[in-house]
Every structure is written in structure tokens, then in C-alpha cells.
Amino acid sequence: MTKFDFLSDLQKPWHYMDVDRVLATLESSAEGLSYVNARQRLRFLGANKLPRSRPIGKVLLQPFLDPLTYILLGAAIFLQWNGAEGWALILVGGLHGVIGVVIALWSIKTREKVSRDRPQRRQHTPSNSVIVLRDREEMEIPSRDLVLGDILVLKEGDRPNVDLRVLETSEGLRINQTNLGGDAICTKQADLTFEEKTPPLECSNMIYAGTEVSSGTAKGIVIATSRFTQEQAALIKEKPFSVMHSELRQLRQVWIGLLLLVTTTAIGFAWQRSITINAMTAAALIVSTYPQNLLRIATQVQLFGMRDLAKQRIWARFPSTLDAIARVTTIVPIVESDVVLSFDNLSRAGIEWRGLIRASEDDAEAFSRVIGIETHSYFEAPQERIRQWQGERLKSAQAVAVIGNDVEDIPLLRTADVGICDRTCCKELQDSAGLILPKEDFHYLPIAILEGRAIFDRLQRIALLTASSSFTLAILTLMDTAAGFSIPPLQLIWVGAIATPLVAFPLILEPTHENLLLQPAYRFQTMLRPSNYLRILLAVTATITAISAVFWLKYQGQASLFSEARSMAFITLGFSQIFHACAIARRSVFGNLPLLLSISFVSICQIVFVQFPWFSDLMATIPLSGIEWAIALLSATAVFWVQELIKTG
């Protein structure tokens, strides 16, 4: 056993031990470590540095660390060796990998921009130097040199980056644990011990990294550093990035389930007809219908929203705040009895105001009659009241926002889906809020709600377009197999993996549409609602009907017309994605330059793939006449008119 082997296994319940046992376990003392011993421990354990958040090198290496990359590469090599178009799989996989890396790097830059532009820079980072006991004397050292067993001295305003077992406290010690989800003001005592399974934030003999000393002083022994602190453990176990990310993951599961169903059914048809299903077609279908980079795009869209709000001096602290503010149906300000209220009428947006007043219930009723909104007493079970408003319609995903202005309001802000305060409030309240307004003015709320709805709307339209394209390709492959045909794999790859993402991505760059604040609130509750499934069904039905009509009217069972019919079907399929994007865009195509450029590029490629000999051979098409082009293009508009009818309805 080497000298510091006892430091290699420190997952111990320190809150369960008394002070003497903690000091003995860490081979330390209340007078601190010696300078030599501390330096030896530092060499053994390494510097007390927090993990870097996704360095650029790790982002660039991510595609090479993903097992799916090598599965795709192996499948492509096997297919190319057997005479199929495996090179196309490598090309598309590389293209989407590069796009994913670009979006990830873009997200890093946007995060930095949000941090610079946010209206109040309150970085919760620890100081670069700390005071410790070394050789029985207080000395100042860099925080990165802290080691297990060090005795750290804390004073008012300090934010430690290590976990501590408390040894001594002053009489007025107060710790702010809001950054970790704990109480805003709590006391600490050294002589207490707790049951082994006590939740960390309920242990008042511990001070954790990420907290702040609001008042008083304390001494504690370092029991966790770097990535082993409670703060870092909480970050690792945190919930998904946002509700929308969770819904997109569910949608992706539906995609995968559909692919498995279609592939299995196609194999069944092929076996029944005693033919071998084209492995390249199956690989192309998977690559073309899998929602590549959709979650990264969602992250970038939310960061765009946080950046835009920061420019207007509104700080959304987390992306999940934007999700919740888009779903808000009830806003609850906590007011004083002599306050003068001025707020916007949001009833057309499906949002109602309800109040909590620091007065009796009788005064609250009188106040309610004067201002015209439902108001209740702040002193009569306010948390239960908020939960009641949250649960009035259990089948929906509605959210309640609470606006607080006092440290006593922190429990209510945490009970609500969105906690809101302004920059004049105390720092404990701001640490507990998700949305921070530049000043005490309710007129900023419609701006934040509109931005949240715009983010939801952009992601929803991208998901609808991508899902409709994927389901269309899957069903067409199934129909082709059932009919004894084989859809060219390169056509699947072009439409699903290249053309559709090209016309869908510009939708995230559209400016915020003011009309969103006048739409019903239920449209922003969840993406996974029946009306969206119906929209996908109608879009897929319209596209497949148009393609089938073009193909069969031209083919009519004559083998000599098969190539013309397939080429016309390919044109209809490709241009359907363009018309679908035009139909769901909030602004005119000519008002969205990225969308106009994408549509132009895809249209030119469609023409080249059909009319130019080398490309037409590659895509298994033949040149068509002007009338045949006109018929195919007119048929492709079917999905556009269906979407227009949906808007009218």
C-alpha cells in the first residue's frame, strides 16, 4: 500500500461521520496539512480543475468516436465491393458528419455570444485564490492547488469549487444553495451528523461546490474536488436539455420503429415473390429516413432564442425556460396591496393572469374585483394553489409562470414551471428564477412568450417536414417492393438525406412572426399531439397519391414506358419537398434568402439529374419532354394545396 492509497476511494458518507472521524480518514488535522504533504497529494491527485465544457477538439473527434460511423463505413465498403453504390453512403455519412460538427461548433460560439450579451453578468465561478491552513498558518493559494484533506477558510461572498465537511462556523453563517436546487438561505453546523441516506442538500454539516456564503465565516475540510463534487455529479445526472429535445427523441423512436416495420415487411414481400431484396435499397432507406442532426438543430435554435432575448435585456437562464415559457397558460404575479398593475391582455393567446397578494383573502377578493383578475391571498397555501392551477387540465402540458420579488417567494418560483423576477431583485431570487426581466415591468413578458413560441414553431415545422419525407420514402419503398419494382437507392438518398434537409434547415432562420402570439395556447403545448400526426398523414397521403398517379398514368403496364414513368415519379417526389417547405414557411420564399437559395439549388439538381445524360444514368432516369415535366411539377403541388387547406381550416 502506497502512501496515498487511502485517497483513491473516497465515496464515503461524510455527513454520517463526526469531525474527528473525517479528519482521521483523510489523515489531516484541524490545523491543516503541511506544505510538503499538500504538494505530494497534489502530484498524486492532480490539479483541482473543473472539466472543460466540450472543447473543440472533442467536437471534431465525436464522429470518429460514434460506433454508428464504423457500422455505416463497413456497410458501405461491403456494398461497394458487391457492385452497389456504397460510395454514396460514405458521401452522405461524411456530409452529415461535417454538418453535425459545424452545428456543434456554431452552438459553442452562440453560447459565448449569449454569455456576453446577457443583461446581467453574474458568473457563478469561484475565485482564483482561496485561504487554507498550511503548517498551522493561514495562507493564500490558487484554488487549483486545493487537495483532499485541506482546511479551507470561507468568508462572506466566497463560492467554493470543492465540497467541504464543516469543522467550524460563525454564529451568523448563511449559505445560499439555490444554484444546486437547495434553499436560498440555510445554516450549517459542524457538530451534527445525519443518516447515511440523507439527501445531500439536507445535510447541514456540508458545504458544496457551487454554493455561496451569504454571511458569516466557516472552516471546512475538503472531501471532494474537480469532477467528483456534488455539483458535477448533478450536472451529469441532469434532465434532458429541454422538453422539446425529449419529444424529438420520442419522435426518433417512432422513426426507428417504422424503419424496422417497413424493412421486415419488404423482406416478407421479397421472400413471397422469391426475389432477393436489394441490400443497397435497404441501406439507402435507413440513411435517408434517419433524422440526422435534428437534436443538434434544436439546441442551436434554442440558443438563438436565448441570444435574441439577451439583446432585448431579457435573460433566459436555461434552454428549458424557453420551452416552459412557450407553454405558459397562466401568469401569476405576487404583488403588494398598494401596487399599481399594468399588463397586456393575453387572452387571445390563451394566457390568463391570476394573482397572489400579500394580504388577507378578503382583501384579495376586493383587489380581484378592482383589477379584474382572479386573486388569492399569498398567506393561504400558495404552493397548493399553484399546483392546482398546474393540474386543472391534467391531459395537457400547460405551464404556470410565477413572478416574484422577494426572497420569501423562492419556494413558489420553484413550484412553478417558470420562475420570473427582474434585475433589481436579490441575487438569491435571481438564482432561483429561470427568466430575468430588465426591470419590474410586465410588458416584457409578451416578448419572452413570443420568442418561446417562435422557437417551438420553428422546430415543429422542421420536424413535420422531415417526418413527412421519411414516412413517404418508407411507404414508397414498401409499395415498390410489393409491386415487384425496385426504387433506385440514389433517388432515396438524394431526396431524404440531401434535398429535404436543405429545404428544411432555412426554416430555423426565419424571423419571429408576430402572429404567433395570437394563436391558441394548445398549439404550443406539445409536438406529439393528434393534429400534428394528422398533418403528417395528410402530407404523406397527398405526396404518395400524386407520385402513384403520375407513375401509373404514364406506365399503364407497358414496359417501354417504365423509365419515363419512374423519372416523372422522381421529379414529383423531389419537388414535393420543395412545395411542402414553401407551404409551411411563415414568410414568403422571396423574404427568406437561405430558403430561396436552397430551393434554387435543389431545383437545378433535379433538372440536371433528369436531363443531362451522365447524371441521368447515375440516377436511373431519362430525359423528359416539357409536357411530362409540367405534369410531374403540377402533381408535386398536391402537398402544397393540402397544407393550404389545413391553414384555412
Side-chain angles (χ1 to χ4, degrees), residues 593-629:
L593 182 59
L595 180 58
L596 181 61
L597 293 176
S598 296
I599 289 175
S600 301
F601 176 77
V602 173
S603 300
I604 292 172
C605 288
Q606 286 286 146
I607 296 173
V608 169
F609 289 155
V610 175
Q611 296 300 116
F612 288 77
W614 188 86
F615 291 99
S616 62
D617 292 342
L618 183 68
M619 301 297 292
T621 60
I622 62 173
L624 301 175
S625 65
I627 296 178
E628 291 171 330
W629 268 94

Side-chain angles (χ1 to χ4, degrees), residues 78-248:
F78 173 79
L79 291 169
Q80 186 68 32
W81 181 266
N82 287 275
E85 299 90 346
W87 59 268
L89 298 180
I90 297 177
L91 180 64
V92 171
L95 175 63
H96 282 285
V98 171
I99 293 174
V101 169
V102 170
I103 295 175
L105 295 176
W106 195 2
S107 297
I108 293 175
K109 296 300 181 182
T110 307
R111 288 178 191 271
E112 295 174 354
K113 178 69 174 174
V114 170
S115 179
R116 290 195 301 267
D117 289 348
R118 64 188 184 185
Q120 185 173 9
R121 298 181 187 179
R122 299 189 62 254
Q123 301 281 358
H124 292 284
T125 55
S127 58
N128 292 325
S129 60
V130 295
I131 297 176
V132 299
L133 291 179
R134 294 276 174 89
D135 292 320
R136 301 175 182 268
E137 295 182 356
E138 290 188 1
M139 62 183 301
E140 187 172 344
I141 65 170
S143 61
R144 65 174 181 273
D145 289 346
L146 283 172
V147 295
L148 298 178
D150 256 330
I151 306 301
L152 182 62
V153 180
L154 297 176
K155 59 183 182 303
E156 183 176 343
D158 285 348
R159 297 188 180 113
N161 66 344
V162 294
D163 290 349
L164 304 169
R165 171 62 166 88
V166 177
L167 302 181
E168 296 179 17
T169 64
S170 66
E171 185 176 349
L173 178 66
R174 297 290 185 273
I175 303 296
N176 178 6
Q177 297 186 150
T178 51
N179 286 331
L180 300 183
D183 296 332
I185 301 296
C186 59
T187 60
K188 300 292 181 179
Q189 298 182 44
D191 56 351
L192 297 178
T193 58
F194 296 87
E195 293 294 331
E196 187 171 344
K197 295 183 180 179
T198 304
L201 295 182
E202 295 181 11
C203 298
S204 58
N205 59 0
M206 303 287 295
I207 297 178
Y208 295 106
T211 60
E212 180 182 3
V213 181
S214 297
S215 63
T217 61
K219 286 184 182 179
I221 181 170
V222 177
I223 53 92
T225 61
S226 184
R227 66 181 185 275
F228 302 105
T229 62
Q230 178 66 30
E231 180 184 30
Q232 294 301 311
L235 289 175
I236 294 173
K237 297 177 181 179
E238 66 182 359
K239 296 179 181 179
F241 199 71
S242 68
V243 175
M244 282 185 280
H245 278 71
S246 178
E247 291 187 346
L248 290 175

Side-chain angles (χ1 to χ4, degrees), residues 273-291:
R273 293 173 176 271
S274 300
I275 60 175
T276 303
I277 188 171
N278 192 332
M280 183 62 201
T281 300
L285 177 64
I286 294 174
V287 170
S288 304
T289 54
Y290 187 80

Side-chain angles (χ1 to χ4, degrees), residues 9 35 76 103 180 236 259 276 291 325 339 343 384 551 602 624:
D9 181 20
Y35 179 81
I103 295 175
L180 300 183
I236 294 173
L259 283 175
T276 303
I325 202 69
V339 72
F343 48 83
E384 286 70 15
F551 180 85
V602 173
L624 301 175

Side-chain angles (χ1 to χ4, degrees), residues 281-327:
T281 300
L285 177 64
I286 294 174
V287 170
S288 304
T289 54
Y290 187 80
Q292 300 282 354
N293 295 315
L294 190 56
L295 294 177
R296 290 191 180 95
I297 292 174
T299 300
Q300 184 60 36
V301 172
Q302 291 177 326
L303 291 173
F304 278 158
M306 295 177 67
R307 180 200 61 187
D308 293 343
L309 287 179
K311 290 180 179 178
Q312 302 181 72
R313 302 176 64 240
I314 302 173
W315 182 17
R317 296 186 63 218
F318 313 105
S320 56
T321 301
L322 298 175
D323 283 346
I325 202 69
R327 296 184 285 112

